[in-house]
Amino acid sequence: MNENKLPHGLSAVEALQRRNKEGFNELEIKHNRSTFKIILEVVREPMFLLLLSAGGIYLIMGDAHEAVILLGFVFVIMGITIIQERRTEKVLEALRDLSSPRALVIRDGVQIRISGREVVRGDTLILNEGDRIPADGFILSSHDLAADESMLSGESVAIAKYADDPSNNKLYAGTLTIRGQAIIEVTAIGALTELGKIGKSLQSIENEASPLQKETALLTKHLAIVGIALCFVVIILFVLFRGGWLEGILAGITLAMGILPQEFPVIMIIFMALGARRIAQHNVLTRRLSAIETLGKTTVLCVDKTGTLTKNQMAVAALALRDKFLSIANLDELPEDFHEIVEYCILASQTDPHDPMEKAFYTLANRYLLHTEHLHFDWNLTKEYELAPDLLAMSHLWQIQKQHHHPVATKGAPEAIIDLCHLDAQKRDEIMQQVAAMADQGLRVLGVAKAVHIGEEWPAIQHDFEFEFLGLVGLADPLRDEVPQAAVECRSAGIRIVMITGDHPRTAKAIAKQAGIDSTTVITGAELETLHGDELAACIQKASVFARVSPQQKLQIVEALKSNGEIVAMTGDGVNDAPALKSAHIGIAMGKRGTDVAREAASLVLLEDNFGAIVEAIKLGRRIFNNLRHAMIYTIAVHIPIIGLSILPIIFGLPLVLAPIHIVFLELIIDPACSVVFEAEEASADIMAHPPRLSHEHLISSKHLILSLLQGGLAAIAVALLYSTSLSVGVDVAEARAMAFIALASANTVLIFNSRSHEHSFRQSFTAVSTIGLWVISTTLLSLMAITIMPSIAIYFSFAPPSLSNWLIAFGTGISMFVLFEIVKKGVLSYSSR
C-alpha cells in the first residue's frame, strides 16, 4: 500500500449531500415509547376505567368526598405506572452500547478522523491494525491484510484479504482489522451492510409470548368473563331487591373491581422487575422481563463456541518437533529443544501484532525466552512475503548488522509449510498425522520453518528459499474458566447443553469434551442440509454438538428443538447468532464483545461474559416461578371473600360492606405488598437438583384452584358471619363494616404465612420470613389500624372506630383463620398427591 498516492476521496459537500439523502451509518433502532404513549396505555386499563366510573357516579350522587378520594387514587396509579414504565425504558436504552467506531477518512484529499456513524457511501477509508471497520467496502490497496470476521462467520481464525482477489477483496462493518493496512472504498452503510441485513432478517421473526404469559392471559380472560357476568348479576339483584340504578351500578363496579384480575399483571411486573434486579447482581441485564420465568423452565441451552464457551483469545497450547511433543499447560520452563521454533514464530510475526495468534506467540516468548539469545530486538525486518490464496504461508526476511546472511522465518498452514520445505511423501504423512492428532485436541495448527538467504537481492517468491521444517505450533482458544462447573450444574438440573458453532468438527468436539458437553455425536452443517422432517427431529434430539453450521442453520436447529417441545435458551455474541437468539424462548447475549444486533435480539445480556451467571439466572428463574405460583394462589384466595361480601348482603338484605374505596385499599396496599413478600422468599436448597418442570405444567393447576377457592370461601363465611352477628346484636352499621374489614384484612395477612410454601410445616410458616416481608406485613397492619381507629381517617372509608373489645374480636376472627387455612392446605395437597 503506497500512502504517497492516496485517493482524493469525496468532497465535504458530497459527503454532506449523501448523508442527507441516505442517512447516518447506523442500524435502525426502534424508538422508545414516549410518556404520552405510556399515559394512553394506562388510561385504557380496566381498573383505571372502573375507578373513573365509580368517581363519576359518586359525583352524580352528590358524594364529592368519595369522588375526590377515588380520583386521587387514579392519579396515584397513573403516576406509579408511568414511573415504572419510564425506568424500564431507560434501562432498555442503557442496554444498547451504541458507541460507533472512529474512522480515518480521506475527504478533499485530506485525512480526517470522524465518528463511524458519519461515514457515507463512497467514502475512502484508511484502515490500520486494530481498527474496527465501520462500513462495508472493497479494498483499493492493502498490505499484509487480515480481518477477524468471527462476529459474522463464527470463525475465530483471521481471514487474509487481497486487493487483487475479486473473491476476497471485501471488508465488512463490525469486523476487526487485526493485521496489516488497507485503503477501502465504502459500498454500503447502516442497514444495507451485511451486518445490517442480518439485523433486518430479525424483523421477520416475531417475539413469542412466554408460556407463563400465555397462561396468565388465558386465566385473566376467564376471570374477566366471570367478573363481568357477576357484575351484571349484582346490578340486577340490587335493583330487584332495593331499587336505585346508580347504587346498583356502584355495587356492580365494586364487585368488578374486586374480581377483575388486574393484580395478575401487577404481580407479574413486580416479580419480573425485582427478579431482574436480583439477576443484575450477577451481572446479567434483562431486556425482556418475561424471559426470567422462562429460564426456570429451560430444558435445552444452546451455546456458540467462539466467545461464549471460549475466550476468543488464542494461546499456544502445544509444540511439536519431528520426534517430540510438548504441552505448554503448567510448564515452568521451556526445554532448550523448543526454543528455536518459538524464536522463528516471533520472527515470522509482526513486530507489534494485533492478530490473536501472533499475540499468543509473543506471550509465550516473553514468558520463556525473555532473557535468552533467541529474541532479536536489534534485527531489522527487510522483506515481507504475504499470505496468498495459493500459498497459506507468510515469510519475513531479516537483516543482521554487519552480516551478509539473512535469516528467513515462515509460518502458515502445515500443508503450505510442507510444500515450501519440499518434503517427501513419507515425511509429509508423518507430519500430517501429528497435525491430525493436535487438531483432535481442538488446536489450531500452524507449521514453522526457517531458511538463510545470502546476498542483497531478494527472491521473488517464497519457494525460492531453501526452507528447513522446524515443527508445529498448536493454538487453543481457551475455554472459559467457569464453563465446566456451569455444565455440571446444568446436567444436575436436567438441562441439556447443545453446542452450535461454525468451527471445524474436530475443534468443536474437543471443546465440547473439555466443557463437559456430550460429544458422542457431531453433526456438520453439510449433514444437516440432507436431513428433513422426522430425520431432522431425530438428529436434533440425539446430537449435542453441531459444527460448520451457517447462521440460518443455527436458527433451524433452535426451531427444530422448539418443535420437539423443548424450552430453548440460546447464548451467543456475534451477529451470526442474532436470528437464533430472537427465535429462542430466551436469547442470552454475551455483552462485552457482543454486537448491538445480538443484544437487540437477546432477552438477557451477560455484562461480564460469565457463562456461570446463566446457571444463577436459571436458579432464580425457578425460584421466581415457585414464589409466583404461591402469590397467585394467595391472590385468587383473597378475592373470594370480596365476591362473597359483595353479593351476600344484597341477597340477605343487609347494608353493603364494601365500597370501591375499600377495594382500592386492598389492591394498592395489601395485594401488591404481599406480592413483594412472596417474591423475597428464598429458594429451597435443592432447587437445582430437580429436572425442569414439564412444558405443559400450568402455573395454577386444578388442585391450586381448589385450594384457593376453599381458603377464600372459609374467609368469606367467617367475615360474613361476624358482620351479620354484629348487626344482630345492635352494633352500628359503620362500626360493623369496620369490624368486617378488620377481620378480612387480618385473614388476608395470616394467609400470607400459610401460602409462603407448600412444604413448610405449621411452625415453619412463621420462621425465616424475609426482612422486607416483616416490614411490609407490619406496615399493612399499621395502615389497617389507622383507617379503623383514627376517626379523621375512618370517616373517609365509611367506618366508625370499633370499641377495643370489638376491634380485638374482629382481629382475632381473622388471625384464627390460619388454623383452618392450614388444615385445608394439608388436605388438598395430600389428596392430590395420591
Side-chain angles (χ1 to χ4, degrees), residues 340-371:
E340 187 178 38
I341 189 173
V342 178
E343 172 187 2
Y344 276 85
C345 281
I346 296 296
L347 293 175
S349 302
Q350 297 293 324
T351 54
D352 184 20
H354 289 267
D355 185 291
M357 290 187 290
E358 294 187 347
K359 285 184 175 180
F361 298 150
Y362 272 85
T363 299
L364 183 68
N366 289 334
R367 181 176 181 183
Y368 296 113
L369 303 184
L370 195 56
H371 301 293

Side-chain angles (χ1 to χ4, degrees), residues 9 32 135 227-228 301 315 328 428 577 591 609 611 617 641 645 720 817:
N32 293 330
I228 292 172
L301 177 59
I328 304 298
R428 174 189 176 90
D577 297 324
D609 288 0
F611 188 78
L645 294 177
M817 294 301 299

Side-chain angles (χ1 to χ4, degrees), residues 211-465:
L212 185 54
Q213 283 179 312
K214 294 176 182 178
E215 182 179 348
T216 303
L218 184 62
L219 181 61
T220 300
K221 179 181 177 181
H222 289 164
L223 290 177
I225 292 173
V226 172
I228 292 172
L230 287 177
C231 176
F232 283 107
V233 169
V234 167
I235 294 174
I236 293 171
L237 289 175
F238 193 97
V239 173
L240 290 177
F241 285 99
R242 303 189 181 189
W245 279 101
L246 289 178
E247 291 84 354
I249 293 174
L250 194 61
I253 289 175
T254 301
L255 177 61
M257 290 175 62
I259 296 178
L260 285 181
Q262 72 281 342
E263 296 95 346
F264 287 174
V266 171
I267 291 172
M268 286 283 290
I269 290 173
I270 290 175
F271 268 69
M272 298 304 121
L274 293 182
R277 188 178 67 180
R278 294 183 190 280
I279 291 179
Q281 295 172 356
H282 296 278
N283 292 313
V284 180
L285 280 182
T286 306
R287 293 196 70 254
R288 282 184 267 280
L289 295 180
S290 60
I292 298 175
E293 57 87 11
T294 314
L295 267 174
K297 203 173 183 179
T298 299
T299 58
V300 175
L301 177 59
C302 295
V303 296
D304 180 58
K305 182 191 75 68
T306 304
T308 305
L309 292 177
T310 65
K311 299 177 180 178
N312 199 35
Q313 298 172 359
M314 287 290 185
V316 177
L319 299 172
L321 305 181
R322 294 290 290 273
D323 55 351
K324 296 179 181 179
F325 181 85
L326 178 68
S327 175
I328 304 298
N330 302 317
L331 191 65
D332 294 326
E333 184 177 347
L334 187 68
E336 181 66 33
D337 290 348
F338 291 89
H339 284 199
E340 187 178 38
I341 189 173
V342 178
E343 172 187 2
Y344 276 85
C345 281
I346 296 296
L347 293 175
S349 302
Q350 297 293 324
T351 54
D352 184 20
H354 289 267
D355 185 291
M357 290 187 290
E358 294 187 347
K359 285 184 175 180
F361 298 150
Y362 272 85
T363 299
L364 183 68
N366 289 334
R367 181 176 181 183
Y368 296 113
L369 303 184
L370 195 56
H371 301 293
T372 70
E373 72 279 7
H374 294 284
L375 295 183
H376 310 286
F377 302 106
D378 57 339
W379 289 10
N380 296 318
L381 180 60
T382 303
K383 176 69 175 177
E384 293 184 65
Y385 296 85
E386 299 179 18
L387 287 165
D390 58 344
L391 184 62
L392 297 178
M394 61 182 298
S395 300
H396 286 177
L397 188 148
W398 295 84
Q399 187 174 41
I400 307 174
Q401 291 182 3
K402 300 178 181 180
Q403 296 287 338
H404 294 289
H405 67 278
H406 307 290
V408 183
T410 187
K411 63 176 171 59
E415 298 88 345
I417 301 302
I418 290 171
D419 187 26
L420 286 175
C421 294
H422 307 294
L423 300 179
D424 58 37
Q426 181 180 351
K427 293 179 179 178
R428 174 189 176 90
D429 291 343
E430 291 174 357
I431 293 172
M432 292 309 296
Q433 287 178 6
Q434 283 185 307
V435 171
M438 296 172 73
D440 284 336
Q441 299 176 37
L443 303 181
R444 164 71 172 172
V445 185
L446 297 180
V448 183
K450 70 175 183 177
V452 175
H453 175 70
I454 299 176
E456 300 301 326
E457 292 186 8
W458 321 130
I461 59 175
Q462 299 179 71
H463 272 289
D464 290 341
F465 293 109

Side-chain angles (χ1 to χ4, degrees), residues 2 38 103 158 168 227 242 332 356 367 450 474 489 492 516 675 681 700 718 723 772 793 818:
N2 187 354
I38 293 175
N168 198 24
R242 303 189 181 189
D332 294 326
R367 181 176 181 183
K450 70 175 183 177
E489 293 192 58
S492 68
S675 300
E681 284 294 311
I700 303 295
Y723 181 61
I772 191 172
I793 300 178
F818 178 82

Side-chain angles (χ1 to χ4, degrees), residues 356-624:
M357 290 187 290
E358 294 187 347
K359 285 184 175 180
F361 298 150
Y362 272 85
T363 299
L364 183 68
N366 289 334
R367 181 176 181 183
Y368 296 113
L369 303 184
L370 195 56
H371 301 293
T372 70
E373 72 279 7
H374 294 284
L375 295 183
H376 310 286
F377 302 106
D378 57 339
W379 289 10
N380 296 318
L381 180 60
T382 303
K383 176 69 175 177
E384 293 184 65
Y385 296 85
E386 299 179 18
L387 287 165
D390 58 344
L391 184 62
L392 297 178
M394 61 182 298
S395 300
H396 286 177
L397 188 148
W398 295 84
Q399 187 174 41
I400 307 174
Q401 291 182 3
K402 300 178 181 180
Q403 296 287 338
H404 294 289
H405 67 278
H406 307 290
V408 183
T410 187
K411 63 176 171 59
E415 298 88 345
I417 301 302
I418 290 171
D419 187 26
L420 286 175
C421 294
H422 307 294
L423 300 179
D424 58 37
Q426 181 180 351
K427 293 179 179 178
R428 174 189 176 90
D429 291 343
E430 291 174 357
I431 293 172
M432 292 309 296
Q433 287 178 6
Q434 283 185 307
V435 171
M438 296 172 73
D440 284 336
Q441 299 176 37
L443 303 181
R444 164 71 172 172
V445 185
L446 297 180
V448 183
K450 70 175 183 177
V452 175
H453 175 70
I454 299 176
E456 300 301 326
E457 292 186 8
W458 321 130
I461 59 175
Q462 299 179 71
H463 272 289
D464 290 341
F465 293 109
E466 295 292 334
F467 281 111
E468 176 189 347
F469 187 83
L470 293 179
L472 301 171
V473 181
L475 297 108
D477 187 2
L479 198 70
R480 292 182 181 274
D481 296 336
E482 71 277 3
V483 168
Q485 180 58 35
V488 170
E489 293 192 58
C490 285
R491 285 198 303 274
S492 68
I495 299 169
R496 173 184 163 208
I497 301 179
V498 173
M499 179 198 289
I500 307 174
T501 179
D503 270 337
H504 191 280
R506 283 179 169 173
T507 303
K509 185 180 181 71
I511 292 296
K513 188 174 182 180
Q514 294 174 33
I517 300 172
D518 181 13
S519 58
T520 305
T521 303
V522 179
I523 303 297
T524 65
E527 292 171 324
L528 276 178
E529 289 180 356
T530 65
L531 301 176
H532 303 282
D534 293 340
E535 288 183 342
L536 176 62
C539 170
I540 298 296
Q541 194 65 34
K542 70 177 183 179
S544 294
V545 180
F546 296 87
R548 291 293 193 217
V549 298
S550 66
Q552 189 60 37
Q553 287 176 323
K554 289 186 178 185
L555 177 60
Q556 180 185 8
I557 292 169
V558 170
E559 294 286 0
L561 286 167
K562 290 166 62 179
S563 298
N564 286 346
E566 307 285 2
I567 301 298
V568 183
M570 168 79 187
T571 71
D573 63 342
V575 174
N576 62 312
D577 297 324
L581 284 173
K582 188 168 186 179
S583 175
H585 292 105
I586 312 105
I588 308 170
M590 312 300 280
K592 268 194 171 181
R593 70 180 299 272
T595 61
D596 290 329
V597 173
R599 287 197 293 271
E600 286 294 327
S603 306
L604 304 176
V605 179
L606 303 184
L607 294 183
E608 294 298 325
D609 288 0
N610 185 345
F611 188 78
I614 297 174
V615 177
E616 290 299 324
I618 291 174
K619 185 184 299 182
L620 281 170
R622 293 187 174 193
R623 165 186 165 179
I624 288 169

Side-chain angles (χ1 to χ4, degrees), residues 51 54-59 61-73 250 659-662 737 794-799:
L51 283 171
I57 292 175
Y58 274 123
L59 284 175
M61 295 172 60
D63 195 340
H65 283 91
E66 292 281 357
V68 169
I69 292 173
L70 285 181
L71 292 176
F73 277 119
L250 194 61
I661 191 172
H662 303 135
R737 182 180 294 116
I795 191 173
Y796 291 106
F797 288 82
S798 300
F799 292 157

